[in-house]
Amino acid sequence: MTEHKYGFLIDASCCIDCRACLVACSVENNVPMKNTRIWIHDTGVMGEYPNLSRYSAPFHCMHCVDPSCVSACTVGALQQSREGIVIYDQDRCIGCRYCMYACPFEVPNFEWQERLALIIKCDLCTARLDEGGQPACAATCPTRAIQFGRRDEMLNLAYKRIQENPQRYVAHVYGEHENGGTSTFYISPVPFEQLGFPVTGQTESPAHFNRLVTHGTPTVAAGVAIGMAGIYLAIKRQAADNAAAAAEHARPEHKAEEE
Amino acid sequence: MLVKIIREIRGLPRFSYLLALLTIFGLGAGFYRLYAGLGDTTNMSKVFPWGVWISFDLTTVALSGGAFTLAALVYIFHMHDLHPATRPTVLFGLLGYASVLVILFFDLGRWDRFWHFLVYPNINSALFEVSWCIAIYSTILVYEFSPVIVERFGNNKLLDFIKKLTVPMVIAGVTLSSMHQSSLGTLFIVMSPRLHPLWYSLLLPVFFLLSSIPAGISLIIIGSIVSDYLFGHSLSQRVIEKLGWLAPWVLGFYLALKLGELLVTEELELLFHSGIYSVLFLAELVIGVVIPMILFSIKKVRWSRTGSLVAALFVAAGIVFNRFNATWFAIKPLNGVIYTPSWLELALLVGVASGVLLVFTLISHYFPVFVETMPTKKHLQTEAASLEPAPTPTGD
Ligand code: SF4
Ligand code: SF4
Ligand code: SF4
């Protein structure tokens, strides 16, 4: 059984768009900045001068409870670990990019510039976790906009902050129920669609519907095969019967004609 | 030797030179993409990770549906009078699938690992299922076409053996076809947040399967009339009429199911209130379903060559429209990004399509593809000397 041990709490009211997390991620994973696994959503400048405001929040893989990318991946390069981390096996991936469409949070990116290109996706800094550390992005964030810890603790913290400062946040923890729930929670002073997060209101993971259909396929296929065989035999038999009947009928007349 | 080759080449129909040129050009563009990566050569991006190549693949698979539809009609429903159409149709299906595989190869980020789907299964993945079914089904199509090759070399024992297995193979082929035709619809089930609700439905697999049947039928009709011009061979109007007669039934069922689904999910009002999407959806249904349904129901149209051609063209246009909608036009743009293909993406498509037509021409030039079709007047004039006594129908 998957445990969903870890979680993030990302607080858009703290993010100052310094992009230190992007740098940390690119250093940690030894990839160029354009291939980092974390990016920034922002609202753009809002309001009228002099009351201007702008909010931002970093986003990376949400490590969904029921991940659509895992259910979609052609070759099983995306898997969910026992601790609930959605990991990516870059030795398997064929670069079909189905996961990019499957992910309801529009997270995975692709190495568009490479000759042999792979998917770009956060693996929750598994190597650092194994050593008892924090993910690089969370460890680096100067304003603690990205917090990392146990999933249930992060969720509680999210609700606590909203309760203590109801005028500061919209009353919603993004990621708790979206698309079947995730391990990354967001709280924000502005509605999430303004920040650029996909908001559909769907609380069931697309993976659920996918399984519903793909698991039915073998049954349907067996039905088609049996049905086809049945039709073939039925028509064949009927044709044989008809032919026999016709032959019996026709014989005397034919003879007459021949003579 | 050289002289012989030149003579052979000069014996080919003229248009094959043009096809060869386009093929070389398109494949060249494809190889450049392998070298340069997808970013600089295509207009795909993070918000539009699939482009016109996937649209082409889905369309081609649907249009190649004629092969399994016809095999089912002839061998399982015992409509043996349709038999003359099988060889060209199976060959077209085979080449259609081949072109899909070639395009997919160029589409993969790790094209060097295209075979991974064979060894790393994910049974939940629609794309995994599609890959397997297409791989096995292509093999079956090769099998179904093999009598043509074997016959040419006159190996009768092998021919008998092949024919004995036909019915089980056809049943396997029809099953696999229904699986991958529908799984291509399943592909979008997991994409619920991106596909417009007018198209999104849990019945997508059924829609895709159903629509591939008239699509395949219409392509047999179009192919037959076009090959009249190109090769001087065609199906008899009786066969075309019978195929056309089938179309309205399937189209009608499809239409009822599509509208019924909108009714049940209470999305019927989307039909008129979704701006450009309503236009696309209605256009797709009117062009590809309603008009041809009416046309094919009229006996006079079915018995007329031009009438059948026009009706079939409507069906084909509708299916192209539908598959392009599902993979492209009806995918919600993000951050206002709208995808349009780059010239290189189009060049590869043109190249591969030309390649397929070229191979079709070559095979039908050297192998008995059109044995049971009717040589038309033009053909009789040009090749009167080489006409052999028609061989008995094969493959039963
Ligand atoms: S956010 Fe996207 S990529 Fe991450 S686990 Fe969920 S579906 Fe997969
Ligand atoms: S691009 Fe790679 S990880 Fe994504 S679905 Fe395809 S094979 Fe799986
Ligand atoms: S957890 Fe690690 S891999 Fe994921 S975004 Fe943060 S730094 Fe990058």
Side-chain angles (χ1 to χ4, degrees):
Chain A
M1 197 49 214
T2 327
E3 185 185 4
H4 305 294
K5 195 163 153 193
Y6 303 113
F8 283 101
L9 171 62
I10 297 178
D11 186 337
S13 72
C14 301
C15 177
I16 52 169
D17 200 5
C18 70
R19 312 210 167 196
C21 51
L22 274 72
V23 178
C25 181
S26 101
V27 172
E28 169 65 24
N29 298 298
N30 198 15
V31 291
M33 272 300 276
K34 64 176 194 293
N35 288 355
T36 146
R37 303 163 185 186
I38 180 167
W39 306 275
I40 303 282
H41 273 321
D42 76 274
T43 55
V45 181
M46 302 189 302
E48 298 233 341
Y49 180 82
N51 298 317
L52 298 178
S53 62
R54 176 180 181 272
Y55 294 98
S56 59
F59 72 103
H60 50 52
C61 171
M62 309 275 286
H63 296 278
C64 300
V65 171
D66 184 3
S68 308
C69 59
V70 169
S71 134
C73 177
T74 319
V75 292
L78 293 159
Q79 297 280 352
Q80 191 171 41
S81 80
R82 231 179 295 137
E83 291 163 325
I85 306 175
V86 177
I87 42 178
Y88 169 59
D89 182 350
Q90 53 175 4
D91 294 331
R92 269 196 193 192
C93 174
I94 53 173
C96 65
R97 308 188 291 288
Y98 188 23
C99 52
M100 298 177 70
Y101 262 143
C103 171
F105 296 104
E106 298 147 19
V107 164
N109 203 348
F110 187 67
E111 299 174 344
W112 294 103
Q113 305 302 327
E114 304 295 323
R115 187 166 302 158
L116 293 173
L118 291 165
I119 286 295
I120 303 170
K121 195 194 86 70
C122 157
D123 65 351
L124 230 158
C125 281
T126 317
R128 288 171 71 105
L129 293 184
D130 290 345
E131 290 166 8
Q134 292 245 324
C137 52
T140 307
C141 179
T143 62
R144 311 231 328 125
I146 311 178
Q147 293 216 27
F148 179 80
R150 288 176 50 96
R151 183 182 186 269
D152 47 357
E153 279 170 12
M154 291 298 117
L155 191 55
N156 287 339
L157 187 59
Y159 275 109
K160 201 168 138 226
R161 284 199 190 166
I162 294 180
Q163 264 155 24
E164 284 172 0
N165 269 310
Q167 71 289 356
R168 184 168 174 176
Y169 300 105
V170 292
H172 181 66
V173 178
Y174 185 88
E176 186 186 7
H177 298 299
E178 273 77 8
N179 300 306
T182 76
S183 305
T184 309
F185 308 113
Y186 287 86
I187 49 177
S188 158
V190 287
F192 288 93
E193 50 267 58
Q194 282 184 28
L195 263 175
F197 284 90
V199 174
T200 56
Q202 187 166 303
T203 52
E204 191 77 71
S205 169
H208 166 76
F209 299 107
N210 184 56
R211 277 192 301 268
L212 250 153
V213 177
T214 47
H215 286 190
T217 313
T219 327
V220 176
V224 171
I226 295 171
M228 288 292 150
I231 293 173
Y232 169 76
L233 293 174
I235 299 186
K236 191 174 175 181
R237 210 160 126 195
Q238 204 185 6
D241 288 352
N242 286 353
E248 225 145 79
H249 252 285
R251 201 167 291 143
E253 289 152 40
H254 260 288
K255 266 194 185 144
E257 269 171 32
E258 274 161 27
E259 285 160 2
Chain B
M1 185 66 193
L2 199 66
V3 179
K4 207 175 155 202
I5 292 177
I6 292 177
R7 194 181 313 135
E8 281 293 318
I9 292 179
R10 290 191 59 173
L12 295 174
R14 277 298 141 72
F15 59 86
S16 44
Y17 306 151
L18 178 66
L19 290 179
L21 273 182
L22 287 173
T23 311
I24 293 169
F25 173 67
L27 288 182
F31 284 111
Y32 176 69
R33 163 265 170 278
L34 294 188
Y35 169 79
L38 284 161
D40 290 337
T41 50
T42 71
N43 286 347
M44 289 185 248
S45 64
K46 176 168 178 191
V47 292
F48 257 100
W50 284 353
V52 69
W53 288 342
I54 295 283
S55 312
F56 171 88
D57 292 340
L58 264 72
T59 311
T60 310
V61 170
L63 291 175
S64 305
F68 89 90
T69 310
L70 194 65
L73 292 177
V74 171
Y75 295 108
I76 295 173
F77 291 89
H78 298 256
M79 298 187 182
H80 294 288
D81 43 344
L82 295 181
H83 194 272
T86 46
R87 284 186 172 189
T89 307
V90 166
L91 180 57
F92 182 84
L94 187 54
L95 294 175
Y97 281 99
S99 69
V100 168
L101 294 177
V102 172
I103 297 273
L104 271 180
F105 174 79
F106 285 104
D107 205 342
L108 290 182
R110 290 302 304 252
W111 38 272
D112 55 322
R113 296 178 180 164
F114 68 93
W115 48 274
H116 269 198
F117 77 94
L118 293 170
V119 284
Y120 298 117
N122 172 14
I123 52 152
N124 289 329
S125 169
L127 202 52
F128 169 75
E129 198 179 302
V130 170
S131 319
W132 263 93
C133 289
I134 291 191
I136 308 178
Y137 182 57
S138 305
T139 325
I140 292 190
L141 281 176
V142 171
Y143 172 89
E144 285 178 5
F145 188 67
S146 62
V148 182
I149 312 284
V150 176
E151 209 170 82
R152 173 81 161 46
F153 297 108
N155 188 336
N156 282 334
K157 260 208 194 118
L158 190 58
L159 205 59
D160 287 344
F161 177 72
I162 292 176
K163 282 179 191 167
K164 251 192 209 119
L165 277 181
T166 299
V167 170
M169 283 302 242
V170 164
I171 292 179
V174 172
T175 309
L176 286 164
S177 289
S178 4
M179 278 173 84
H180 72 251
Q181 294 286 3
S182 59
S183 289
L184 282 172
T186 313
L187 219 53
F188 300 90
I189 297 284
V190 81
M191 286 164 54
S192 49
R194 285 303 292 280
L195 189 61
H196 191 276
L198 273 175
W199 284 268
Y200 186 84
S201 152
L202 283 181
L203 288 183
L204 265 172
V206 184
F207 294 159
F208 267 54
L209 175 59
L210 275 180
S211 56
S212 75
I213 296 172
I217 291 180
S218 73
L219 216 77
I220 301 176
I221 296 177
I222 297 171
S224 157
I225 295 173
V226 170
S227 76
D228 186 1
Y229 288 107
L230 295 182
F231 309 107
H233 268 280
S234 182
L235 295 172
S236 70
Q237 194 59 34
R238 226 174 44 77
V239 173
I240 293 180
E241 193 271 342
K242 191 159 181 184
L243 286 169
W245 173 84
L246 278 165
W249 298 98
V250 193
L251 287 173
F253 186 50
Y254 174 69
L255 183 67
L257 211 58
K258 270 209 108 138
L259 295 180
E261 192 266 344
L262 288 180
L263 191 70
V264 170
T265 54
E266 289 165 9
E267 291 172 342
L268 213 50
E269 94 241 31
L270 285 178
L271 213 50
F272 304 103
H273 296 109
S274 319
I276 180 72
Y277 295 111
S278 300
V279 178
L280 287 173
F281 190 81
L282 288 172
E284 170 194 317
L285 283 186
V286 171
I287 294 175
V289 183
V290 178
I291 296 181
M293 209 164 87
I294 297 172
L295 286 178
F296 272 132
S297 327
I298 304 171
K299 200 166 176 189
K300 231 168 99 192
V301 173
R302 291 200 306 268
W303 278 105
S304 129
R305 240 174 148 60
T306 332
S308 307
L309 179 64
V310 169
L313 281 173
F314 270 111
V315 178
I319 207 79
V320 173
F321 209 1
N322 173 261
R323 299 307 197 251
F324 272 68
N325 277 336
T327 48
W328 177 0
F329 307 140
I331 299 278
K332 275 182 225 161
L334 299 179
N335 319 323
V337 177
I338 294 177
Y339 161 85
T340 40
S342 70
W343 71 266
L344 190 137
E345 287 175 78
L346 296 177
L348 179 65
L349 283 189
V350 172
V352 170
S354 311
V356 160
L357 291 178
L358 181 64
V359 175
F360 191 99
T361 312
L362 290 180
I363 294 186
S364 54
H365 189 76
Y366 289 108
F367 295 97
V369 175
F370 290 115
V371 276
E372 296 172 71
T373 51
M374 308 202 318
T376 48
K377 240 190 241 139
K378 184 175 140 215
H379 181 74
L380 286 177
Q381 284 162 2
T382 49
E383 278 182 43
S386 67
L387 267 188
E388 292 161 26
T392 45
T394 47
D396 305 78

